[in-house]
């Protein structure tokens, strides 16, 4: 038996965490076994790496250290959580995965497709999601949501990646849309400016037919 692997992607503040939660609740209510996780993170080692990657104090981090830390967190995640859970027949839902490396470190930091492919192969042995939901919102809108959320939660503002310039985030968004065009069967683009419930219904229409097919 092999479970499903579903990932969520999008620019900062696109609303993917809300949609992950709604999808998990709906699938569990329908009787499926679901494991929700995130990247960077999802394991104790990955969560430690996440703190290093996102800390605004680590502004000096070079892009080579950055991509390798994301890859290290992913390697541990795949080995410790994603493959074992899938082998049990569980549906694994991850808030971000390798498309984020292609968009952020590839398009925005300038790593080549060959470098990305080598890192992906080493970290995951080429594990691809069965389906990816890409939630598309205007970059400025997403960043405004992130800032508001951090004020509401009493934090100080943007993390290290969120604090990048608008052009960086525009490059990330363009890369995500290009990836979706190149992988139309796997990556499903949702208009993130619709209501939360409308987006959820559209996600259910994509995911439900996949459940029970593997
Ligand atoms: P999150 O805030 O959505 O959890 O994502 C953490 C940040 O890390 C976000 O700015 C996107 C970035 N990121 C990368 O740059 N490369 C990656 O491979 C992943 C998984 C995330």
């Amino acid at each position: 038996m092999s479970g499903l692997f579903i990932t969520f992607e999008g620019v900062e503040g696109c609303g993917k965490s809300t949609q992950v939660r709604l999808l998990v609740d709906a699938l569990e209510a329908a009787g499926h076994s679901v494991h929700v996780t995130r990247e960077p993170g999802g394991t104790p080692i990955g969560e430690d790496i996440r703190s290093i990657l996102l800390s605004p104090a680590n502004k000096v981090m070079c892009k080579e250290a950055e991509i390798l830390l994301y890859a290290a967190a992913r390697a541990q995640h795949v080995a410790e959580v994603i493959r074992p859970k899938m082998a049990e027949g569980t549906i694994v839902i991850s808030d971000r995965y390798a498309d984020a490396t292609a968009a952020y470190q590839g398009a925005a930091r300038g790593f080549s497709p060959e470098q990305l492919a080598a890192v992906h192969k080493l970290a995951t042995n080429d594990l691809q999601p069965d389906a990816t939901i890409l939630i598309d919102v205007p970059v400025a809108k997403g960043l405004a949501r992130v800032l508001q959320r951090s004020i509401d939660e009493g934090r100080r503002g943007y993390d290290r990646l969120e604090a990048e310039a608008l052009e960086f985030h525009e490059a990330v968004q363009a890369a995500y849309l290009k990836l979706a065009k190149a992988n139309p069967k796997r990556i499903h683009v949702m208009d993130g400016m619709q209501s939360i419930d409308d987006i959820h219904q559209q996600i259910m229409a994509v995911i439900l037919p996949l459940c029970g097919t593997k």
Side-chain angles (χ1 to χ4, degrees), residues 8-13 16-17 38-41 50 53-54 66-67 70-71 74 95-105 109 149 159-162 168-169 172 176:
F8 278 71
E9 300 281 358
V11 295
E12 315 294 334
K16 62 188 164 45
S17 306
R38 67 173 181 181
E39 287 204 0
R50 179 183 180 91
L53 278 163
L54 300 188
E66 182 181 282
I67 192 171
Y70 278 113
R74 181 162 307 133
D95 189 334
R96 295 198 192 277
Y97 181 66
D99 294 315
T101 304
Y104 282 79
Q105 282 67 50
R109 296 279 195 232
R149 189 167 60 215
D159 67 31
R160 192 179 63 86
L161 275 289
E162 290 159 356
F168 176 93
H169 295 289
V172 168
Y176 269 135

Side-chain angles (χ1 to χ4, degrees), residues 15-214:
K16 62 188 164 45
S17 306
T18 303
Q19 292 299 335
V20 166
R21 232 178 303 120
L22 290 172
L23 178 63
V24 171
D25 290 350
L27 292 177
E28 283 181 343
H32 293 286
S33 161
V34 181
H35 181 81
V36 61
T37 185
R38 67 173 181 181
E39 287 204 0
T43 65
I45 290 172
E47 292 294 329
D48 280 356
I49 295 174
R50 179 183 180 91
S51 306
I52 296 170
L53 278 163
L54 300 188
S55 169
N58 289 334
K59 272 202 190 75
V60 294
M61 187 183 296
C62 68
K63 66 179 191 173
E64 289 78 12
E66 182 181 282
I67 192 171
L68 292 171
L69 283 170
Y70 278 113
R74 181 162 307 133
Q76 190 64 33
H77 194 205
V78 168
E80 187 180 332
V81 174
I82 300 176
R83 287 195 192 275
K85 289 281 177 198
M86 288 179 71
E88 287 169 6
T90 298
I91 300 174
V92 177
I93 301 179
S94 186
D95 189 334
R96 295 198 192 277
Y97 181 66
D99 294 315
T101 304
Y104 282 79
Q105 282 67 50
R109 296 279 195 232
F111 285 100
S112 69
E114 293 72 28
Q115 289 171 316
L116 292 171
V119 166
H120 186 61
K121 170 91 181 149
L122 181 62
T124 75
N125 198 18
D126 283 337
L127 178 69
Q128 285 291 355
D130 295 295
T132 296
I133 304 293
L134 172 59
I135 304 184
D136 188 38
V137 297
V139 166
K141 180 91 192 166
L143 286 171
R145 281 186 191 164
V146 168
L147 195 56
Q148 188 57 50
R149 189 167 60 215
S150 99
I151 292 166
D152 292 347
E153 291 171 0
R155 284 183 281 120
R156 279 220 205 100
Y158 292 136
D159 67 31
R160 192 179 63 86
L161 275 289
E162 290 159 356
E164 287 288 343
L166 196 62
E167 301 80 68
F168 176 93
H169 295 289
E170 302 275 11
V172 168
Q173 183 178 44
Y176 269 135
L177 293 173
K178 206 168 150 192
L179 281 168
K181 268 211 164 135
N183 299 276
K185 283 212 177 105
R186 174 173 66 85
I187 304 182
H188 304 266
V189 184
M190 304 284 152
D191 173 0
M193 297 310 288
Q194 303 172 93
S195 74
I196 288 175
D197 191 53
D198 282 351
I199 301 169
H200 173 60
Q201 296 308 331
Q202 289 158 29
I203 292 172
M204 290 298 286
V206 169
I207 301 301
L208 271 188
L210 300 177
C211 298
T213 60
K214 294 192 80 186

